[in-house]
């Protein structure tokens, strides 16, 4: 029933959007603030009555809630002209800029510093996300924080594509054709460590491979292989987006570095324990079945 209601609300949203603007942007979507999706969590992480910079705001799917329900004063940075036209109604100001340009922050000098900088599903589209993240940190006012959302490249559904030898790019989703950077868990941690950012909160969006757009690839795998892949602590339980809230580190020293890593490791441990509890109902291969699985895997690789 909930799924039917969600689809109905999404359809109504699309019809209203097309009626008012004439077309639906590829990154225009409905945000339900009551669910645990990454966009809804971004709105919650930002807070209310803040001066916000939203980098790569797209057509304003998140922006409309930041400036509306959260009463934030939002400056948006976007490069797509068609998105900018839709975005203007939700922002105090929209600045067209290319995040791949080395001096992209120059266009924001007159805006001053921000209490919150939002980078939601953007870094994976950039040539140098490491530098952009460091540049964004310098735009924060004292006591400010960044809100970052990233896709997880080691999700079970993507692993299924790799095993099948079909890394299929799409117009949206885990394998969006405009993604040029891919991050596993250690890569994400190193990205944040390198920018000198300390995690103060995190949220993981949970979605099984059967619930993704890559379900066909997942279902093509033999049941024993799917069961084994699902046992990975980060493979099935962590889904498309992980959301992080950061503050700049007080200084770069080994103690803060390890403290940051331990926070994320503790979150992994908690989620892994939850996954282990759920996995008790999963299928476990017997020794003969396991041997047969290894034979199948060897045949597929030769």
């Amino acid at each position: 029933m909930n799924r039917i209601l969600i689809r109905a609300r999404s359809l109504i949203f699309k019809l209203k959007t097309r009626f008012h603007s004439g077309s639906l942007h590829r990154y225009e979507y409905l945000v339900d603030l009551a669910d645990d999706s990454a966009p809804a969590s971004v709105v919650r992480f930002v807070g209310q009555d803040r001066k916000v910079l939203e980098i790569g705001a797209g057509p304003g799917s998140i922006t409309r809630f930041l400036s509306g329900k959260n009463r934030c004063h939002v400056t948006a940075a976007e490069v797509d002209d068609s998105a900018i036209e839709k975005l203007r109604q939700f922002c105090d100001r929209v600045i067209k800029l290319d995040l791949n340009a080395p001096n992209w922050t120059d266009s924001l000098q007159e805006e001053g510093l921000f209490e919150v900088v939002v980078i939601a599903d953007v870094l994976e589209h950039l040539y140098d996300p490491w530098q952009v993240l460091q540049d964004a940190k310098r735009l924060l006012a004292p006591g400010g924080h960044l809100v970052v959302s990233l896709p997880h490249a080691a999700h079970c559904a993507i692993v299924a594509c790799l095993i099948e030898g079909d890394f299929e790019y799409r117009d949206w989703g885990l394998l969006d054709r405009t993604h040029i950077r891919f991050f596993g868990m250690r890569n994400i941690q190193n990205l944040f460590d390198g920018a000198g950012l300390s995690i103060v909160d995190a949220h993981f969006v949970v979605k099984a491979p059967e619930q993704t757009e890559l379900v066909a690839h997942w279902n093509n795998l033999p049941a024993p292989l799917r069961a084994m892949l699902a046992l990975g602590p980060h493979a099935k339980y962590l889904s498309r987006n992980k959301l992080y809230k950061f503050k700049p580190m007080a200084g770069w020293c080994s103690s803060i570095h390890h403290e940051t890593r331990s926070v994320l490791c503790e979150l992994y441990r908690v989620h892994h324990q939850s996954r282990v509890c759920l996995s008790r109902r999963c299928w476990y291969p017997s020794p003969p079945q396991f041997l047969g699985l290894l034979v199948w895997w060897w045949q597929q690789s030769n």
Side-chain angles (χ1 to χ4, degrees):
M1 179 63 68
N2 288 339
R3 186 173 297 180
I4 295 175
L5 290 175
I6 292 173
R7 289 182 178 178
R9 292 179 60 187
S10 178
L11 178 60
I12 293 173
F13 170 78
K14 291 179 180 179
L15 291 174
K16 287 183 177 180
T17 302
R18 289 183 179 179
F19 176 78
H20 290 292
S21 61
S23 63
L24 191 68
H25 192 275
R26 60 181 296 188
Y27 293 126
E28 197 165 6
Y29 50 82
L30 177 66
V31 178
D32 184 354
L33 297 182
D35 65 24
D36 66 345
S37 66
S41 297
V42 167
V43 176
R44 290 192 287 268
F45 273 19
V46 169
Q48 297 182 340
D49 301 305
R50 302 293 184 88
K51 180 183 179 183
V52 178
L53 170 64
E54 186 180 1
I55 297 175
S61 297
I62 294 176
T63 323
R64 67 168 69 220
F65 291 98
L66 295 180
S67 60
K69 180 178 178 61
N70 284 23
R71 304 184 304 276
C72 294
H73 296 281
V74 183
T75 297
E78 177 57 46
V79 68
D80 184 354
D81 288 326
S82 61
I84 289 175
E85 288 304 313
K86 293 174 173 287
L87 186 58
R88 293 188 190 280
Q89 59 183 311
F90 308 121
C91 303
D92 293 355
R93 186 180 179 190
V94 180
I95 300 174
K96 182 177 180 179
L97 56 82
D98 183 0
L99 295 172
N100 288 311
N103 58 343
W104 65 272
T105 56
D106 292 350
S107 302
L108 297 165
Q109 288 183 352
E110 297 182 0
E111 302 302 311
L113 300 178
F114 299 88
E115 294 176 276
V116 185
V117 174
V118 176
I119 313 176
D121 293 337
V122 172
L123 295 175
E124 65 272 17
H125 299 268
L126 306 178
Y127 294 121
D128 193 352
W130 303 274
Q131 186 60 52
V132 169
L133 194 57
Q134 293 189 46
D135 292 340
K137 185 180 69 171
R138 289 192 285 269
L139 298 173
L140 284 175
H145 64 267
L146 287 90
V147 177
V148 179
S149 176
L150 273 173
H152 180 213
H155 186 276
C156 265
I158 297 181
V159 175
C161 292
L162 292 173
I163 292 175
E164 281 210 305
D166 186 3
F167 203 64
E168 181 185 357
Y169 286 103
R170 295 168 176 254
D171 290 333
W172 58 276
L174 285 162
L175 294 180
D176 188 310
R177 66 181 72 256
T178 63
H179 289 181
I180 59 178
R181 297 294 182 185
F182 298 89
F183 300 93
M185 303 309 286
R186 290 187 180 180
N187 310 122
I188 293 173
Q189 181 65 60
N190 291 336
L191 173 68
F192 301 146
D193 285 348
L197 293 169
S198 177
I199 301 171
V200 296
D201 202 352
H203 172 71
F204 304 132
V205 179
V206 180
K207 185 175 290 187
E210 293 87 353
Q211 298 173 299
T212 71
E213 68 277 9
L214 304 174
V215 59
H217 295 283
W218 175 255
N219 288 337
N220 285 339
L221 299 181
L225 180 56
R226 293 201 304 269
M228 290 190 67
L229 291 175
L231 294 178
H234 307 146
K236 182 179 180 181
Y237 200 72
L238 300 183
S239 72
R240 182 178 188 277
N241 297 92
K242 289 149 300 306
L243 191 73
Y244 302 97
K245 181 177 177 180
F246 299 96
K247 287 191 176 182
M249 292 182 181
W252 182 250
C253 63
S254 58
S255 62
I256 295 180
H257 174 85
H258 291 300
E259 180 183 355
T260 304
R261 185 177 299 277
S262 66
V263 170
L264 190 54
C265 288
E266 176 63 18
L267 287 169
Y268 291 167
R269 184 187 66 78
V270 172
H271 281 270
H272 177 50
Q273 288 178 345
S274 300
R275 179 65 190 96
V276 169
C277 292
L278 293 173
S279 69
R280 291 176 181 172
R281 291 179 293 177
C282 292
W283 175 88
Y284 289 88
S286 65
Q289 290 172 326
F290 183 72
L291 180 60
L293 177 60
L294 290 179
V295 172
W296 174 85
W297 205 326
W298 180 83
Q299 291 174 342
Q300 294 295 314
S301 61
N302 288 279

